[in-house]
Amino acid sequence: MNAIEVHKLTKRFGDFTAVNEVSFTVAEGEIFGLLGPNGAGKTTLIRMLTTLTPPTSGAARVGGHDIVHDADGVRHAIGVIPQALTSDPELTARENVLIHAKLYGVEKSRRASLTTELLAAVDLESFSNQLVRTFSGGMRRRLEIARGLVHSPRILFLDEPTTGLDPVSRTNVWEMIDRLQKRSGLTILLTTHYMDEADKLCERIAIVDHGKLVALDTPARLKDSIPGADVVEAEFANLPSGTPAWREWLEQLRQLPQAAQVSEQDGSVHITSHSGPETVAALMDRARARGISVKRVTVQGTTLDDVFLHYTGRQLRDALQAGPRLDVTHLYK
Amino acid sequence: MDIGINLERIGAILERDMRKFFRSPALMVSSMVFPLMQLIVLGYAFGGKIKNIHVALVDEDRGAESRTLRENLKSIEAGPKTFYVSDYSSVPDAVTDLRAGFVRAVIHIPHDYSRRVLQHDRPRIAFIEDNTDNFVTSQLYERVQQLAASLNAPLIAGRLPAAIDMQVVEVYPYIEYIKYLLSGSIAMSIFIVAMIGGGIVFIDDKARGLHEGYLVTPIRKAELVLGLNLAGALKGVMAGLTITLIGGLIAGIDRLWEPLRLFYLLLVLSAASLAMISFMFLVMVRVTDPLVPRAIFGVLNTLLFFPSGAIYPSEGFPVWLKWISVVDPFTYAVHALKNLLLKNTGFEGIYFDVFVLLGFSVLLMSACIALFQRQI
Ligand SMILES: Nc1ncnc2c1ncn2[C@@H]1O[C@H](COP(=O)(O)OP(=O)(O)OP(=O)(O)O)[C@@H](O)[C@H]1O
Ligand SMILES: [Mg+2]
């Protein structure tokens, strides 16, 4: 049975369509990622699936329960960690978890031990009696994950679990999610606008943009689905973009051996290639021949960034997060 | 799927609110400082007899009879000290100073006063008052009337065989204004708890997104509303009881510690708190902007406190204000508290108010549950 089934789910705010006929299914025990930039509609989609917002049209079942007609059934089956931090700053970590345990009707005899266990699972056991007000963002996010698991849900929704965290905390949260999933076979639906997060954590990824689902597959297959295996990026020093000479030069670049697609953004040229090194060697030769000086050249394997660019025609706003690229300019000087 | 209400979930919401309340003394302190300050300052500012009013005297007669009058005035100056008198040579001079506020009234003894007294020819003195200040003039006027009556007394006694004498029976001993005010201050402390604890904190939590964390759980609207209201009422009772005891000591309420009286007080405080907090939640149930409760704080305060009869009896209100006082939970709280604190009535003095307050609570909370939005 599928843990989540979404069929043409749509949400409109007045004239504006935040989520537009989105359909997908998530298998039991799967970690599924919704990847999209700010305003893509990820939170709205999660809010509909977690019964916080009524859908305009379409249908969905979560844990076998209809999100509209059996909202209560859905609520019992799921754990939710919303995008905003929702734990009570004026309560301790332990009190936060305990109160949720009561709200979910966890048996009285199990509450205390369960709370201790969960706080240990998120590495907060030594802070359990501290006010949440004093917690860092990462600690607070981990507490919310513990709180969301208090009734042993089968399905967990995480809305941007690592936004605003430093790299160490992010890695912590990733490891925790991974561990939880392996241990209990939890189904996890998470949203993110970090490529590396989606790549590392998720078995399958749905790319959402402007409320529409534009691609859905495993990270590997998504990368395979775009032409070229490598991506070459180059910047040139003495050639202002937009001039006739620039346009002519772009035309030349399209003729490069192995090049599949050429695009430009903010004066930097983006070439997908079936063989990065071959394309780069040829690019350097032609530039030298025309007296164009190359400021920077990088080559790397296709990332989800390129997948995103391919499917949406836009670079993700947080492209910088995608990790260092290999700068090979000096090799050709 | 079970219908019905889960007491454990109500308890969880109640527990959350109470823990937050005990952790931050700010709410408790602010719910006490303002009403106590109001009680003391207003109690002493309004309670006292007005003294040392400056009065101008223009004596154009300077005869034997005017001397008697002057002596009477001097004796008031020395005794109750309601006013003191300065001599002016002419009425226009005195009226100029009256207009400028240097004197509050002018007493004018005309040149033919003594002659008319002796000839029994309707002797007159003029009393010119600055009537822009009701409190001053009413006290002054009362004194001057007493004075005139004492001047007339021998004449009247001679003429009438038996003067009609009305005897006033005062059921209770004289109540100082601070005692009169205490009931209002107690109600005010409950109002502040409802306003800050129920209004401001509720909307702030909503704006901070804390509610989202609770709305994803299987909690029902009714459970959430009941839990929040009970927590608010409990906080209100605590604040109200504190002010009752501290204020009672300050105002000097006798035999405050009688167990049965305390029990009745607790009953009234509970009913009043529940009504006040459900009133507040109903006002706030659809509000999302954290500025709104802050902006209407003063409006609600004025609209609920002053028409309640806490500081001025509602018998003096125009009709529209009387109507506000009828639907104002403050009115019933203040009425019941006055009965208990000033007259120490038993249950017969409060059951109607308690009944009305509880009725209000049920009505307001039902409306609140109906209007509460479970989804965002
Ligand atoms: N209550 C609302 N009323 C009107 N518009 C809304 C409402 N909620 C969301 N939107 C709009 O819907 C769109 C999608 O918002 P949503 O929060 O789902 O995006 P998101 O993908 O979660 O973005 P982010 O990465 O910033 O969290 C946005 O353009 C937003 O302005
Ligand atoms: Mg979002």
Side-chain angles (χ1 to χ4, degrees):
Chain A
M1 192 189 80
N2 286 319
I4 303 171
E5 292 173 359
V6 182
H7 182 69
K8 290 196 168 175
L9 206 56
T10 300
K11 180 72 188 183
R12 272 190 275 278
F13 296 109
D15 289 343
F16 178 75
T17 307
V19 175
N20 195 352
E21 300 205 341
V22 168
S23 304
F24 62 88
T25 57
V26 179
E28 222 158 288
E30 188 178 4
I31 302 188
F32 187 90
L34 286 171
L35 176 67
N38 291 121
K42 306 182 294 293
T43 299
T44 308
L45 184 51
I46 281 212
R47 281 186 170 167
M48 287 192 283
L49 295 179
T50 57
T51 77
L52 276 174
T53 299
T56 308
S57 63
R61 296 179 81 77
V62 174
H65 306 276
D66 188 284
I67 56 164
V68 176
H69 300 109
D70 186 10
D72 217 48
V74 174
R75 287 176 196 140
H76 276 287
I78 61 171
V80 188
I81 291 95
Q83 180 170 359
L85 295 169
T86 61
S87 50
D88 250 305
E90 291 84 20
L91 299 180
T92 67
R94 203 179 166 76
E95 288 164 352
N96 263 294
V97 178
L98 274 173
I99 284 175
H100 261 235
K102 287 179 191 168
L103 291 178
Y104 276 111
V106 176
E107 272 170 61
K108 196 168 183 174
S109 56
R110 289 188 51 234
R111 273 182 222 147
S113 59
L114 186 71
T115 303
T116 311
E117 250 171 67
L118 281 170
L119 288 173
V122 297
D123 295 326
L124 287 174
E125 64 263 68
S126 47
F127 302 96
S128 56
N129 291 320
Q130 207 160 304
L131 288 188
V132 172
R133 200 170 43 207
T134 65
F135 280 20
S136 72
M139 290 163 81
R140 213 167 150 192
R141 187 64 78 180
R142 297 208 303 273
L143 167 66
E144 311 223 339
I145 293 175
R147 201 176 73 158
L149 291 170
V150 73
H151 54 301
S152 321
R154 284 141 55 208
I155 305 163
L156 188 65
F157 288 86
L158 289 148
D159 197 355
E160 301 197 9
T162 65
T163 300
L165 302 190
D166 65 43
V168 178
S169 307
R170 293 179 68 207
T171 315
N172 273 344
V173 170
W174 290 351
E175 282 168 2
M176 225 184 61
I177 293 173
D178 207 47
R179 204 162 60 221
L180 284 169
Q181 199 279 332
K182 292 224 162 61
R183 202 177 63 184
S184 53
L186 206 59
T187 307
I188 296 178
L189 187 149
L190 63 84
T191 75
T192 181
H193 46 75
Y194 295 131
M195 293 297 170
D196 53 341
E197 185 163 294
D199 202 355
K200 205 171 149 71
L201 271 178
C202 302
E203 287 158 60
R204 285 194 307 147
I205 294 168
I207 296 179
V208 229
D209 192 33
H210 296 307
K212 275 190 112 50
L213 199 151
V214 292
L216 193 166
D217 217 325
T218 64
R221 274 210 292 265
L222 281 175
K223 286 181 221 169
D224 283 347
S225 72
I226 61 171
D230 290 331
V231 172
V232 177
E233 278 202 349
E235 277 179 60
F236 308 98
N238 53 353
L239 197 61
S241 72
T243 58
W246 167 261
R247 278 197 288 277
E248 196 188 318
W249 174 234
L250 273 190
E251 219 26 69
Q252 286 237 335
L253 292 179
R254 290 207 171 88
Q255 314 300 322
L256 286 174
Q258 304 292 353
Q261 269 188 346
V262 176
S263 59
E264 68 143 321
Q265 199 168 28
D266 305 328
S268 120
V269 178
H270 186 100
I271 306 164
T272 55
S273 156
H274 301 289
S275 162
E278 248 181 86
T279 308
V280 172
L283 183 148
M284 297 313 280
D285 282 344
R286 294 199 189 172
R288 201 170 295 129
R290 294 185 54 130
I292 291 169
S293 97
V294 180
K295 203 163 101 190
R296 185 178 69 90
V297 175
T298 62
V299 185
Q300 66 165 24
T302 324
T303 65
L304 281 177
D305 271 311
D306 309 304
V307 175
F308 190 85
L309 180 68
H310 178 77
Y311 282 107
T312 68
R314 289 187 296 138
Q315 203 110 32
L316 255 191
R317 210 209 259 181
D318 299 277
L320 283 178
Q321 292 286 343
R325 286 172 184 246
L326 182 60
D327 195 328
V328 291
T329 316
H330 60 281
L331 296 178
Y332 295 91
K333 284 266 155 79
Chain B
M1 224 181 110
D2 63 319
I3 308 298
I5 281 181
N6 181 322
L7 288 179
E8 192 156 66
R9 289 203 283 254
I10 298 180
I13 296 295
L14 182 71
E15 177 191 337
R16 158 189 182 263
D17 252 37
M18 294 317 289
R19 283 189 187 279
K20 287 171 78 142
F21 176 65
F22 286 123
R23 210 147 269 159
S24 140
L27 176 56
M28 195 67 187
V29 169
S30 56
S31 68
M32 283 170 18
V33 170
F34 180 54
L36 276 182
M37 202 176 71
Q38 196 182 47
L39 176 70
I40 294 167
V41 174
L42 286 189
Y44 283 104
F46 287 166
K49 287 254 173 277
I50 296 171
K51 281 182 193 154
N52 295 325
I53 304 167
H54 193 186
V55 173
L57 178 68
V58 184
D59 183 359
E60 291 176 345
D61 179 53
R62 302 208 165 268
E65 292 304 323
S66 83
R67 207 169 309 125
T68 319
L69 180 58
R70 295 173 68 107
E71 271 159 20
N72 275 319
L73 289 173
K74 286 287 170 207
S75 76
I76 286 175
E77 209 175 302
K81 294 198 174 69
T82 307
F83 53 75
Y84 66 97
V85 178
S86 303
D87 277 308
Y88 276 69
S89 53
S90 76
V91 173
D93 277 359
V95 170
T96 304
D97 272 13
L98 178 84
R99 288 193 191 283
F102 295 115
V103 298
R104 294 290 205 168
V106 178
I107 296 171
H108 176 212
I109 308 173
H111 61 89
D112 55 357
Y113 175 70
S114 292
R115 180 179 60 78
R116 279 172 183 262
V117 171
L118 293 173
Q119 295 174 356
H120 296 275
D121 181 19
R122 288 172 291 120
R124 270 174 298 184
I125 51 176
F127 177 66
I128 306 160
E129 62 180 10
D130 171 3
N131 60 343
T132 56
D133 190 324
N134 285 329
F135 294 106
V136 169
T137 38
S138 70
Q139 294 237 345
L140 206 55
Y141 186 65
E142 201 183 318
R143 277 275 173 246
V144 173
Q145 285 236 301
Q146 281 172 5
L147 197 74
S150 76
L151 288 173
N152 288 333
L155 296 175
I156 293 168
R159 242 187 267 147
L160 292 172
I164 296 161
D165 186 20
M166 177 145 76
Q167 220 172 354
V168 177
V169 179
E170 293 193 326
V171 184
Y172 302 101
Y174 172 71
I175 304 289
E176 296 152 53
Y177 191 66
I178 190 165
K179 286 184 182 152
Y180 184 84
L181 214 54
L182 177 60
S183 305
S185 298
I186 296 168
M188 178 64 83
S189 74
I190 297 175
F191 169 76
I192 292 175
V193 168
M195 191 70 229
I196 299 179
I200 294 180
V201 173
F202 175 69
I203 304 298
D204 282 3
D205 279 1
K206 214 190 236 185
R208 285 194 293 173
L210 299 195
H211 285 203
E212 202 174 331
Y214 294 98
L215 293 178
V216 296
T217 74
I219 194 163
R220 287 168 204 287
K221 296 207 275 192
E223 293 162 351
L224 203 56
V225 171
L226 285 175
L228 291 170
N229 274 298
L230 285 180
L234 205 56
K235 293 182 234 176
V237 169
M238 285 194 250
L241 194 63
T242 314
I243 298 296
T244 305
L245 299 180
I246 299 179
L249 288 177
I250 294 175
I253 303 287
D254 294 328
R255 294 184 295 147
L256 189 58
W257 304 101
E258 282 172 23
L260 193 61
R261 192 187 206 179
L262 284 179
F263 171 76
Y264 288 145
L265 279 168
L266 216 53
L267 192 66
V268 172
L269 292 176
S270 308
S273 299
L274 206 55
M276 209 85 84
I277 193 85
S278 34
F279 178 88
M280 205 59 70
F281 268 115
L282 185 59
V283 173
M284 296 299 163
V285 68
R286 291 284 177 102
V287 172
T288 48
D289 186 344
L291 269 180
V292 172
R294 291 165 172 84
I296 63 174
F297 197 151
V299 175
L300 283 182
N301 183 5
T302 308
L303 217 52
L304 296 179
F305 184 63
F306 294 96
S308 70
I311 56 166
Y312 199 79
S314 57
E315 283 81 352
F317 293 168
V319 176
W320 60 271
L321 203 53
K322 277 197 179 124
W323 273 107
I324 294 182
S325 83
V326 168
V327 295
D328 177 3
F330 253 110
T331 306
Y332 303 92
V334 166
H335 180 257
L337 287 170
K338 272 190 180 155
N339 276 356
L340 288 178
L341 292 171
L342 302 182
K343 309 183 215 164
N344 199 5
T345 61
F347 192 63
E348 76 279 6
I350 59 167
Y351 76 93
F352 178 73
D353 298 303
V354 170
F355 180 77
V356 171
L357 286 169
L358 291 179
F360 263 139
S361 308
V362 171
L363 216 67
L364 294 169
M365 254 191 272
S366 310
C368 203
I369 292 170
L371 289 173
F372 190 86
Q373 279 174 317
R374 180 68 178 74
Q375 294 184 309
I376 42 181

